[in-house]
Amino acid sequence: MSHTVVVLTAGLSQPSSTRLLADQLADAVSAAVGARGEAVDIEVIELRDLAADLATTMVAGGLPTPAVAAAREKVSAADGIIAVTPVFAASYSGLFKMFVDVLDTEALNGMPVLVAATAGTARHALVLEHAMRPLFTYLRAVVIPTGVFAATEDFGSTGLGERIQRAAAEFAALVVAVPTAVGGFLPAPTRARQSGNHVGEVTPFSRLLAGHTGHVEHPHPAADR
């Protein structure tokens, strides 16, 4: 069985230490899923490439550009998310939060998420616990126990490699998990995920106004087309 994992990376420079960590996590997850006898497709979304589209979406009242709509579809359809951000002002970057803000509130229901962050100093290590984990928990995602933080001096160290492997193993276990239960005792279904790109039928303003005032309007048959 094949699974899809989307990597969200919010690095601004190129090359980026944030993208480097994201790639290391993706490679470790691919290996961990493969060790379980299953396949995984990794799709990377570079948020720096969506910066202008995200700004346009925000000021347009949430109406997504085609690029943002495509990214939202990928996220809500994924089997798991690897989210990596640089640390700015002791928290996730504004670009990263902007992307999360344009996601549908139902996009990550029950989604396995691996959180990670990069910074110039180890003093920001708690960003995973005070910012990243609460953010995704609010969105009803399932955040794995091990987060991965990497300060500049951590790259190439044994400790970082061990944390990456541990996080990848935990994440892979959730991505490939198949719910099982005794017949007749199935767990309650989880809330369905949705991208938010599909808008339902729009009620014409004339009908809304008529309902508000109590006036029943009888328009011409073609009036609401």
Side-chain angles (χ1 to χ4, degrees):
M1 183 176 180
S2 182
H3 305 274
T4 300
V5 169
V6 169
V7 180
L8 301 176
T9 173
L12 298 182
S13 60
Q14 199 172 20
S16 162
S17 59
T18 302
R19 177 58 190 268
L20 175 60
L21 180 58
D23 288 342
Q24 292 178 352
L25 288 166
D27 290 343
V29 166
S30 294
V33 173
R36 292 173 174 269
E38 301 195 23
V40 63
D41 293 321
I42 303 292
E43 296 189 13
V44 178
I45 298 178
E46 279 274 11
L47 298 185
R48 66 189 297 274
D49 296 336
L50 290 177
D53 289 272
L54 289 171
T56 299
T57 297
M58 295 290 283
V59 299
L63 184 65
T65 66
V68 170
R72 299 204 307 187
E73 287 288 349
K74 289 180 180 180
V75 167
S76 62
D79 296 303
I81 300 292
I82 299 173
V84 193
T85 179
V87 177
F88 290 161
S91 188
Y92 36 69
S93 73
L95 178 62
F96 181 83
K97 183 58 162 60
M98 191 181 296
F99 181 75
V100 174
D101 284 345
V102 302
L103 292 177
D104 190 89
T105 55
E106 307 288 340
L108 300 181
N109 290 333
M111 178 83 73
V113 174
L114 191 168
V115 294
T118 60
T121 171
R123 291 181 299 169
H124 292 300
L126 288 178
V127 70
L128 297 177
E129 304 306 321
H130 75 69
M132 294 285 282
R133 193 176 298 276
L135 174 65
F136 285 102
T137 299
Y138 170 77
L139 293 171
R140 294 181 292 276
V142 180
V143 186
I144 66 167
T146 301
V148 180
F149 174 84
T152 302
E153 65 268 19
D154 289 329
F155 284 96
S157 69
T158 301
L160 177 59
E162 290 175 348
R163 292 197 303 276
I164 289 174
Q165 295 302 319
R166 184 166 64 249
E170 294 172 2
F171 182 69
L174 289 181
V175 169
V176 305
V178 178
T180 58
V182 177
F185 295 92
L186 292 173
T190 58
R191 296 170 64 162
R193 297 176 195 145
Q194 55 189 22
S195 66
N197 291 335
H198 306 292
V199 180
E201 181 181 355
V202 178
T203 302
F205 181 72
S206 59
R207 291 185 184 175
L208 292 174
L209 184 61
H212 179 71
T213 61
H215 173 66
V216 178
E217 188 173 348
H218 301 284
H220 186 276
D224 291 334
R225 290 180 184 174

